Amino acid sequence: MSNGKYLGIWVPVIAFLIILTVVANVAISIFGSWVNTQLGEGTYTIETAEGTEDWDTDYNEASYDSLEAEQEDAFALVEEIESEGVVLAKNEAAALPLASGAKVTLLGRFSADPVFGGAGSGSVDTSTAVNAITGLENAGFDVNPTAYAMFESFAADAPKADIVMDDPAGSTYVIGEMPVDQYTDEATASFADYADAAVVVIGRGGGEGGDLAQDMTDVPGTADERAQDGEHMLELNQDEKAMLEVAKASFDTVIVVVNASTSMEMGVIQDDPEIDGVLLIGSPGQTGYNAVGDVLSGAVNPSGRTVDTWSADFTQDPTWSNFGNFQYSNVDSVNGPGYFVQYEEGIYVGYRYYETAAAEGFIDYDSAVVYPFGYGLSYTDFSWEIAGEELGGTDGDITVDVTVTNTGDVAGKDVVELYYNAPYTAGGIEKAEVVLGAFEKTSLLEPGQSETVTLTLAVEDMASYDYETAGAYVLEAGDYELRLQTDSHTLAEGVEPISYTVGDTIVYGEDNPRESDGVAATNQFDDVSALFSDTGEDGKIVNLSRADFAGTWPTAPTEADLTATDEIVAAFDAYDAAAAAEASDAEMPVTGAENGLQLIDLRGLDFDHPLWEDMLDQLTVEEITKVILNGAYNTDAIESVVKPATVDLDGPAGFSSFLNDAYNGTAYPSEVVIAQTWNKEIAHRMGAQVGEEALQMGANGWYAPALNIHRSPFAGRNFEYYSEDPVLSGEMAKATSEGALTKGVYTFLKHFAMNDQETNRVNNGVASWANEQAIREIYLKAFEIPVKEVTGEISYISDDEGTVETAEVGQMAMMSSFNRIGSTWAGGSKALMTDVLRDEWGFEGFVITDFNLYGYMYPDQAIDAGTDHMLTFEPFKVLEDTTSALAVSNLRTVAHHMLFTVANSNAMDGIAPASTITYTPPAWQMWRWVITGGVGLIIAGLIAMVVVRVRRRKAGAPEAEVTEPVAETVDA
């Protein structure tokens, strides 16, 4: 073979191997953080300094020896949460509880195919969860196996609703109930043998990245062929109605179980005298169906309360016309078109609307509302009596002691709800008829037993936000009523409202901040409020007002609304990091200093302790940049200051990870169920139990709790969020975070803020428009409570003798959101991330973005605004500027926030001052270099072979003297 032909064969082969090796190694280097999540990460070994070996560095001690032991208790807690979260919504003629050992028939597709949770980052592994039939059998019921097998077989093949993340066209909008004409004769005949009761299960799911359909005949994905005109996803469809008719015809007792973590239109069920009972069970998680069985049997007395208003007709809700897909006609930015949603209802969300509209005579409450907010029945009765009250000054608290007595025949728990009514003047600051101020739940009370609970409300918390005139919170003069109620609509029997009088109007302006504020809460979102007015002049959005509900009723966006202003169009443009740097007067900070500090030296120290400045001086731009741009589910190690890597995990219903199945933890009930307990103590226990799981799994941070508001029942992610009410949401999140903090876990309150629908959330960031009163009173309030009030105690080594002392820390992490506040991306909003979160509320921890894969989420904008960490990997996102004084100052600031959080977490367990940290690469990295080296040797050998062969051929050497591959020798 000639040299030309020979080279024609081997040069391409060698070139291919070289290119493949180089490209593979470059790709692995670029995507190394992601590859770590799939193939395993390296290990960091901490070596303690001589003389510190006996120091107590177990800052967070595990209570379990293994994950299996921990999860045994976790599963029991799941069952307890569900037992307190089930809402008894209807119980005609005391149909419930059912008799022990009753022979019952489960009806409905969802009886065999339960909705244990939701889809997306809030999903959990429910492959081994207790299902409905097992839960009822464990409670002692004899369950019809024939009917169950029929529904199980149907569910195995029949589609149901499936929200595919951020892919509406790929989603399925099908209820999926089994048509009654497909019931088998065998199953129908079996009803008579299990006729003590029919337990009919109605189910609805949800998922991240998609909302529920407001029109089942007009959906972007797979439609339900059985949908009727005008039907939406949260009303009973024809198959469910037909199933109920079969149940009523076949059974004397019919119980409906609603397996959904959003409200539904339940009027037809509630008003039907042939339907005897209704349980609202939410999404029950790993073992929750055991609790459902116990509630049905009476082994558990239900004590849950609704967390949303269950209205009769969702199309009459003020949010109905302003939820979903709305696109600007004139936004065509580098990141695509612009989408928006307008919160025209203002503060009148959920019960705030229904109670106020009823008080104003705008609606007939009994016709409009099926189940009020805070509503729930019991198998026993309770009486309330005010045992004491202290009405503090306007700079103090109101406390009310309520004695609750079980006047019934069985043990049970009760929830005491305190609402306030503020004086309202037509044309003045908008105010709801009632607002939840405080709540408490009793312990289990035996018949005849009493317990006194204390409810506390800061007087300043009754202030309303006046964005139009004062630009601040205002506590108006007048008479306030404090109402002890069993729900948002019903005064407790025999308990009169308490009057509280404010003599003079108090404006909490710049010179007079509220007691809870670092600096006064003043207008920060004028650019957002600018689109709203009370009269609608110049085409602005009209604020809904209780002074004229009919005349200010929200409407769908008009042609004028679809045209963005010049300011909005400009805000959708790309962020200009260079311009920001040029306009800044920042001074270049010190980097790379050799001050000899380690992160452990700063554990327990205040955020503004001088040693932090010395620590930050040590860091380099490269170190900080690497950490913040590779922030998905972790914070990377910084060996120079002995900062260990951390593991941060989803989600609100227990640990999960998109990237690594090894981190699937206990499947807790949905946040809706947790909130339906109205039990802060059980939320605290859940947080602590997740903290125990973190210690077993090596996790440090938790992307939870989630605190967005149930603005609309059609929001696909409502299962991840607590409630329509910010006070209930905030209190439950506070308790959960404090529980996790007892085990050194930092929680990321998410998604900050106004991430209240999924539609268009990542399509250039849907622009959420609301006036500042609604922003603050409804959508920020839930976050404000835990940020201001979470406290926890950590231990740390305080001197060179190993002395252990304790320090107090607060809420340490947050997650921003995909959407825009007005036209500014939430993660890039300095008003939100710095002015409100840090300056007003005093937050000292770090903020991470939501998954940062989208063009409009600019890292440079984020760190300048006060967001610290990118939930992404390099090279998906880069910093355009890492050299200007502004950029380096911002990097120093975000490092401070992140390091402060990690220093005070369980990531520091086992680390003493003067320790050293060494990194051992993962096995796959070792194999990478072995394979690369081996391929390199092969390439070198091939090159040598070719060179030798070509040279000998040119020199006329005999062919037989050339060593060639077997194939070439044979050919010769």
Side-chain angles (χ1 to χ4, degrees), residues 236-469:
L236 299 182
N237 75 352
Q238 60 174 322
D239 295 317
E240 291 168 323
K241 292 175 182 176
M243 175 174 58
L244 287 171
E245 291 303 317
V246 169
K248 292 187 295 183
S250 306
F251 301 88
D252 290 335
T253 300
V254 177
I255 308 299
V256 172
V257 172
V258 181
N259 177 199
S261 287
T262 190
S263 56
M264 295 180 62
E265 290 185 2
M266 292 287 291
V268 294
I269 289 176
Q270 185 66 18
D271 295 339
D272 191 330
E274 295 182 87
I275 295 177
D276 304 283
V278 174
L279 296 180
L280 312 178
I281 70 166
S283 306
Q286 180 70 34
T287 54
Y289 250 115
N290 283 334
V292 175
D294 286 342
V295 169
L296 287 168
S297 72
V300 166
N301 187 350
S303 59
R305 302 291 184 267
T306 55
V307 296
D308 296 317
T309 303
W310 293 56
S311 62
D313 183 355
F314 290 172
T315 69
Q316 299 303 304
D317 189 88
T319 64
W320 171 263
S321 296
N322 289 283
F323 181 86
N325 180 32
F326 306 105
Q327 180 179 341
Y328 286 119
S329 61
N330 60 329
V331 173
D332 185 19
S333 72
V334 65
N335 294 306
Y339 299 88
F340 69 95
V341 60
Q342 297 173 167
Y343 293 25
E344 294 191 16
E345 70 281 356
I347 65 167
Y348 297 110
V349 177
Y351 74 87
R352 284 171 168 79
Y353 163 68
Y354 289 98
E355 301 300 337
T356 308
E360 296 293 345
F362 183 64
I363 62 170
D364 175 63
Y365 191 88
D366 292 337
S367 299
V369 175
V370 179
Y371 305 133
F373 169 81
Y375 165 85
L377 304 175
S378 173
Y379 295 154
T380 191
D381 297 307
F382 298 94
S383 67
W384 296 1
E385 181 181 0
I386 296 177
E389 60 186 63
E390 293 185 15
L391 307 181
T394 53
D395 59 349
D397 296 333
I398 295 168
T399 60
V400 181
D401 297 326
V402 180
T403 299
V404 180
T405 302
N406 183 345
T407 59
D409 299 325
V410 296
K413 296 184 177 185
D414 201 12
V415 177
V416 181
E417 303 168 31
L418 176 65
Y419 296 80
Y420 64 86
N421 165 269
Y424 169 71
T425 302
I429 307 171
E430 292 299 327
K431 296 176 186 176
E433 174 67 13
V434 292
V435 175
L436 180 68
F439 63 93
E440 293 294 337
K441 191 168 192 176
T442 70
S443 59
L444 185 69
L445 300 179
E446 297 294 332
Q449 187 178 3
S450 298
E451 180 181 334
T452 299
V453 297
T454 299
L455 298 97
T456 302
L457 171 66
V459 175
E460 66 179 27
D461 284 346
M462 296 193 295
S464 301
Y465 196 83
D466 177 14
Y467 80 93
E468 293 181 302
T469 304

Side-chain angles (χ1 to χ4, degrees), residues 77 149 238 258 345 854 935 938:
L77 179 58
Q238 60 174 322
V258 181
E345 70 281 356
Y854 307 98
V935 173
I938 292 172

Side-chain angles (χ1 to χ4, degrees), residues 914-926:
S915 296
T916 58
I917 183 171
T918 56
Y919 176 66
T920 302
W924 72 265
Q925 281 277 26
M926 302 297 191

Side-chain angles (χ1 to χ4, degrees), residues 556-701:
T558 64
E559 285 299 319
D561 295 327
L562 297 175
T563 303
T565 65
D566 291 342
E567 291 78 11
I568 294 173
V569 172
F572 274 87
D573 287 342
Y575 180 75
D576 191 337
E582 185 176 349
S584 171
D585 58 359
E587 296 183 2
M588 183 64 73
V590 174
T591 59
E594 296 182 1
N595 295 330
L597 288 171
Q598 297 181 348
L599 185 57
I600 190 64
D601 298 327
L602 286 90
R603 181 178 173 88
L605 301 186
D606 290 342
F607 180 81
D608 56 1
H609 192 284
L611 277 181
W612 276 109
E613 295 303 314
D614 296 334
M615 162 67 74
L616 297 171
D617 286 348
Q618 295 179 208
L619 301 175
T620 66
V621 168
E622 292 74 17
E623 286 175 321
I624 304 170
T625 301
K626 181 174 182 290
V627 173
I628 70 170
L629 292 179
N630 292 284
Y633 300 94
N634 82 108
T635 68
D636 210 347
I638 304 177
E639 294 181 43
S640 67
V641 295
V642 196
K643 178 216 170 288
T646 66
V647 174
D648 303 332
L649 301 174
D650 274 321
F655 283 147
S656 65
S657 173
F658 273 133
L659 304 179
N660 193 329
D661 290 342
Y663 288 117
N664 277 319
T666 299
Y668 284 88
S670 63
E671 278 198 3
V672 167
V673 175
I674 296 163
Q676 283 181 180
T677 69
W678 287 64
N679 187 334
K680 290 175 276 191
E681 185 268 339
I682 208 168
H684 186 280
R685 286 171 54 203
M686 176 195 169
Q689 197 68 43
V690 171
E692 291 282 6
E693 197 160 87
L695 294 179
Q696 295 298 324
M697 298 172 72
N700 316 107

Side-chain angles (χ1 to χ4, degrees), residues 612 746 812-813 844-846 896-905:
W612 276 109
Y746 47 90
M812 293 197 291
E844 295 176 334
F846 85 119
H896 191 180
H897 297 152
M898 181 269 294
L899 291 174
F900 178 75
T901 299
V902 174
N904 293 304
S905 76

Side-chain angles (χ1 to χ4, degrees), residues 30 140-141 146 158 183 214 391 461 484 534 680 737 789 795 817 875 928 952:
I30 291 174
F141 293 109
T146 306
Y183 287 12
Q214 291 179 290
L391 307 181
D461 284 346
L484 291 163
D534 294 331
K680 290 175 276 191
S737 291
E789 298 181 15
S795 60
S817 51
R928 168 195 174 187
R952 289 185 175 182

